[in-house]
């Protein structure tokens, strides 16, 4: 009953405003924070290919549970991706509340962004566009990795990028993620005043600088990494589907030594 | 009289429109004028009205950045026209538009008063207290820092520049806007006001209030009084998100 009352009248039976808008605002921030930080970690993992194929292989094996199991357990990766996918969907749903939802709203916001020429307002538009793009780009990637978690590795990933034609999607996704993520984390910090200190204006300037540094860093790292996979993928085209076998024992913490890296 | 050097020639492109006149069409009209020292847009617009177009509407009262009645978009930026110098526009081309977000009265004149009144009513912009005051007795002391903080937020002149610069307020006309959230913060901080965070939640605890703010921070960057909007909106968000 209280649901119906609030639904139609806009107040709960005790004539209070619903606490849900507060919760939604909080969850939008929380899921955004998680996804933003997750993407930093993710970028470091995939970029291990720049160090060596062996190292990337070991990192992959680690996520497949090499620290506990002898056999690779890609289901562990699937489970992590499932959780990330769920958070991603929740974040997208909550962020929808902020989108322009009709012609008039879009038109005035677009005009305003151009006319006002204000940095953070323009960045918001970038966030809206990249967020929209990721509904699709992100979903494709997440679903693929979730259902094919056994096909991650120096060759398998490179094959996916090149022979399975994922590289165009990855270029777009990389741009979208890095822009959206760094802008989003910056906005989160100023939105809640986390680093305000004594002088919030100065803090914001600093955060903005850091934001740009982070964007440039991760975009560079991302594109160099993608290039590395593309190179491997092209070289490996004729052996599509063949899995990587590590060339030497890579030094791992003792707990993982029995895995040895020699398969 | 002969050798007073003329200043550079300025070109003004001004939006003219009278929404109450069915014949009127919104259009930009150009005016040219020679610059004089210390020329402000108040001088420019007054001159245009006196010498070129008696029909041009705009508002000024104090001419000193105090009353908040002369907000306009100058080359896209929300500014107090009385405090805006033509000298700040090196190429001499200045476009002036009325502030969006407010009801257009005519040309550059908009009804910020109506908006601000509605906002004041909505956030119940007055001290709420049950205490009965003996006006002959000394008032209770207030911590000077808290008094400063309250008065700082009281410096809002209701010019509306923050509302005009806020993309959220433009997209969603029911959004209470930075000036509204600033007002709530002002009473939340003031120890004279007995309202609790729960009470403030009832006023602005929704997507038309604090949770509608998307932190675009154009308010912070355009407030002519440099009110700490970024900080106070974040403060209200933290307070109201934790209301049980
Ligand atoms: S907060 Fe600043 S910009 Fe907004 S109405 Fe008040 S003085 Fe003007
Ligand atoms: S005329 Fe009063 S602020 Fe400009």
């Amino acid at each position: 009953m209280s649901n119906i009352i609030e639904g139609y009248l806009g107040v709960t039976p005790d004539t209070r405003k619903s606490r849900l808008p507060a919760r939604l605002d909080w969850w939008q921030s929380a899921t955004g924070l998680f996804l933003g930080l997750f993407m930093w970690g993710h970028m470091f993992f995939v970029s291990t290919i720049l160090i060596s194929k062996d190292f990337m292989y070991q990192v992959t094996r680690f996520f497949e549970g090499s620290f506990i199991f002898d056999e690779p357990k890609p289901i562990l990766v699937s489970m992590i991706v499932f959780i990330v996918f769920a958070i991603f969907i929740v974040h997208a749903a909550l962020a929808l509340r902020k989108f322009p939802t009709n012609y008039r709203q879009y038109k005035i916001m677009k005009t305003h962004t151009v006319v006002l020429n204000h940095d953070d307002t323009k960045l918001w538009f970038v966030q809206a566009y990249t967020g929209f793009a990721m509904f699709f780009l992100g979903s494709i990637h997440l679903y693929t990795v979730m259902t094919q978690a056994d096909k991650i590795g120096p060759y398998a990933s490179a094959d996916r990028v090149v022979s399975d034609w994922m590289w165009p999607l990855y270029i777009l996704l990389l741009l979208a993620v890095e822009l959206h993520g760094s802008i989003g984390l910056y906005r989160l910090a100023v939105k809640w005043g986390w680093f305000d200190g004594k002088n919030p204006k100065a803090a914001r300037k600093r955060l903005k600088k850091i934001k740009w540094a982070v964007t440039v860093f991760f975009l560079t790292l991302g594109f160099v990494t993608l290039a590395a996979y593309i190179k491997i993928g092209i070289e490996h085209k004729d052996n599509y589907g063949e899995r990587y076998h590590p060339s030497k024992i890579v030094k791992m913490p003792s707990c993982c030594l029995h895995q040895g890296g020699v398969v | 009289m002969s050798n007073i050097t003329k200043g550079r020639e300025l070109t003004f492109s001004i939006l003219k429109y009278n929404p109450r006149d069915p014949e009127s069409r919104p259009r930009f009209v150009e005016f040219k004028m020679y610059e004089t020292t210390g020329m402000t847009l108040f001088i420019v617009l007054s001159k245009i009205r006196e010498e070129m177009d008696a029909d041009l509407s705009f508002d000024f009262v104090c001419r000193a950045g105090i009353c908040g009645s002369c907000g306009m978009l100058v080359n896209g930026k929300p500014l107090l026209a009385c405090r805006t110098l033509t000298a700040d526009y090196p190429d001499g081309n200045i476009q002036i538009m009325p502030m969006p977000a407010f009801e257009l009265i005519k040309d550059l004149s908009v009804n910020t008063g109506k908006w601000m009144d509605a906002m004041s009513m909505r956030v119940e912009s007055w001290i709420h207290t049950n205490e009965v005051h003996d006006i002959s007795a000394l008032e209770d002391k207030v911590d000077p820092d808290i008094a400063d903080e309250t008065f700082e937020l009281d410096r809002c002149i209701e010019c509306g520049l923050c509302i005009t610069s806020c993309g959220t307020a433009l997209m969603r006309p029911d959004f209470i806007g930075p000036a509204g959230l600033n007002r709530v913060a002002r009473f939340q901080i003031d120890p004279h006001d007995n309202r609790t965070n729960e009470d403030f939640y009832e006023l602005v605890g929704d997507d038309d209030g604090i949770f509608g703010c998307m932190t675009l921070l154009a308010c912070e960057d355009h407030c002519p009084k440099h009110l700490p909007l970024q900080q106070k909106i974040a403060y209200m968000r933290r307070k109201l998100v934790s209301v049980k």
Side-chain angles (χ1 to χ4, degrees):
Chain A
M1 272 305 143
S2 70
N3 223 349
I4 298 175
I5 290 175
E6 198 214 314
Y8 280 138
L9 303 183
V11 285
T12 58
D14 45 7
T15 62
R16 292 193 324 170
K17 263 200 174 124
S18 165
R19 300 309 191 230
L20 210 56
R23 301 290 103 84
L24 298 181
D25 197 45
W26 191 89
W27 275 105
Q28 185 182 353
S29 292
T31 50
L33 178 65
F34 170 84
L35 291 167
L37 297 179
F38 173 82
M39 284 321 299
W40 288 5
H42 176 282
M43 192 39 109
F44 285 124
F45 299 139
V46 296
S47 65
T48 50
I49 195 73
L50 296 175
I51 297 173
S52 73
K53 292 192 186 96
D54 284 337
F55 188 46
M56 191 269 177
Y57 176 82
Q58 291 296 343
V59 170
T60 311
R61 293 286 293 105
F62 172 81
F63 284 105
E64 289 169 350
S66 65
F67 49 96
I68 305 175
F69 308 106
D70 284 342
E71 287 296 303
K73 300 272 185 232
I75 184 76
L76 296 177
V77 177
S78 293
M79 276 157 51
I80 297 174
V81 181
F82 177 81
I83 294 169
V84 173
F85 205 174
I87 294 174
F88 171 84
I89 291 171
V90 171
H91 184 70
L94 293 173
L96 264 184
R97 301 173 307 137
K98 307 291 179 190
F99 275 76
T101 48
N102 59 35
Y103 171 71
R104 184 62 205 139
Q105 288 184 353
Y106 180 80
K107 182 71 185 167
I108 197 165
M109 192 61 176
K110 183 83 207 174
T111 307
H112 181 61
T113 307
V114 174
V115 172
L116 188 69
N117 191 21
H118 171 253
D119 211 37
D120 283 17
T121 305
K122 287 189 281 188
L123 289 181
W124 180 86
F125 232 94
V126 172
Q127 245 189 323
Y129 274 121
T130 51
F132 183 76
M134 279 193 290
F135 286 154
F136 313 102
L137 303 173
S139 297
I140 295 171
H141 173 59
L142 283 159
Y143 188 78
T144 312
V145 180
M146 184 172 73
T147 52
Q148 300 173 26
D150 56 330
K151 296 206 188 72
I152 299 172
Y155 286 162
S157 300
D159 283 346
R160 181 166 40 249
V161 171
V162 176
S163 301
D164 292 348
W165 274 93
M166 287 298 268
W167 63 268
L169 183 126
Y170 282 155
I171 290 176
L172 296 175
L173 184 56
L174 179 64
L175 279 169
V177 165
E178 296 313 336
L179 290 173
H180 191 94
S182 58
I183 299 170
L185 289 173
Y186 157 77
R187 203 182 300 285
L188 264 185
V190 280
K191 180 175 200 162
W192 295 94
W194 287 337
F195 304 103
D196 273 5
K198 286 251 173 314
N199 187 346
K201 281 185 203 296
R204 175 170 165 224
K205 278 216 183 84
R206 232 183 358 259
L207 284 167
K208 183 63 93 37
K209 278 205 191 111
I210 297 172
K211 180 220 106 52
W212 279 115
V214 166
T215 308
V216 171
F217 173 75
F218 279 107
L219 273 180
T220 313
L221 184 64
F223 276 115
V224 174
T225 302
L226 189 56
Y229 283 108
I230 291 176
K231 181 167 175 286
I232 299 171
I234 292 172
E235 288 162 0
H236 197 248
K237 223 172 175 173
D238 295 335
N239 298 318
Y240 175 78
E242 176 212 28
R243 298 306 297 267
Y244 181 73
H245 296 292
S247 53
K248 59 179 188 296
I249 296 177
V250 181
K251 277 216 177 336
M252 292 289 283
S254 60
C255 67
C256 313
L257 259 186
H258 62 281
Q259 276 298 312
V262 180
V263 180
Chain B
M1 287 300 291
S2 59
N3 55 4
I4 296 175
T5 35
K6 272 189 194 162
R8 45 184 195 140
E9 191 180 45
L10 304 170
T11 307
F12 298 92
S13 174
I14 298 178
L15 191 97
K16 288 203 69 187
Y17 179 48
N18 180 1
R20 274 159 207 81
D21 173 5
E23 301 289 298
S24 172
R25 297 284 173 271
R27 67 212 178 274
F28 283 98
V29 180
E30 252 188 32
F31 300 95
K32 288 190 187 293
M33 169 180 316
Y34 289 105
E35 189 172 36
T36 53
T37 25
M39 189 179 229
T40 64
L41 291 188
F42 165 71
I43 296 172
V44 170
L45 291 172
S46 307
K47 213 164 159 181
I48 290 176
R49 187 154 64 188
E50 269 163 38
E51 298 173 7
M52 302 176 208
D53 181 357
D55 173 62
L56 182 68
S57 300
F58 52 83
D59 299 310
F60 287 93
V61 179
C62 71
R63 291 162 286 143
I66 298 165
C67 72
S69 54
C70 66
M72 295 170 196
L73 286 191
V74 185
N75 285 1
K77 293 282 169 203
L79 290 169
L80 293 179
C82 69
R83 273 191 1 186
T84 304
L85 293 164
T86 54
D88 291 337
Y89 298 84
D91 73 354
N93 290 320
I94 302 177
Q95 184 203 53
I96 313 178
M97 288 191 278
M99 289 195 291
F102 301 102
E103 181 190 312
L104 179 62
I105 298 173
K106 184 174 165 294
D107 305 334
L108 302 176
S109 174
V110 294
N111 200 341
T112 47
K114 186 172 162 189
W115 196 100
M116 292 295 166
D117 277 352
M119 176 276 284
S120 295
M121 295 301 287
R122 228 170 109 189
V123 304
E124 302 183 8
S125 181
W126 54 88
I127 297 282
H128 289 48
T129 177
N130 295 326
E131 283 164 40
V132 183
H133 284 283
D134 174 359
I135 52 166
S136 62
L138 272 181
E139 287 179 50
D140 287 342
K141 283 188 183 139
V142 176
D143 180 330
D145 288 340
I146 294 181
D148 279 351
E149 221 184 318
T150 310
F151 291 142
E152 169 75 359
L153 304 189
D154 247 349
R155 293 192 306 111
C156 171
I157 55 172
E158 302 196 346
C159 62
L161 298 194
C162 57
I163 310 299
T164 271
S165 49
C166 173
T168 313
L170 294 187
M171 268 206 292
R172 309 197 162 87
D174 287 336
F175 179 51
I176 192 72
L181 295 172
N182 173 69
R183 190 66 57 82
V184 175
R186 181 243 172 271
F187 287 102
Q188 200 272 354
I189 293 166
D190 190 341
H192 293 108
D193 196 309
N194 294 339
R195 279 180 286 185
T196 61
N197 288 335
E198 280 76 13
D199 297 327
F200 290 117
Y201 192 100
E202 291 308 315
L203 301 173
V204 292
D206 56 24
D207 289 334
D208 289 331
I210 187 78
F211 306 121
C213 165
M214 306 198 290
T215 321
L216 304 171
L217 294 183
C219 55
E220 166 90 5
D221 296 336
H222 293 97
C223 174
K225 294 286 147 186
H226 306 292
L227 294 192
L229 298 170
Q230 170 198 344
Q231 187 190 19
K232 291 305 170 208
I233 294 174
Y235 169 81
M236 282 316 301
R237 190 189 298 274
R238 293 195 302 268
K239 289 287 167 215
L240 295 192
V241 87
S242 54
V243 164
K244 289 279 167 283

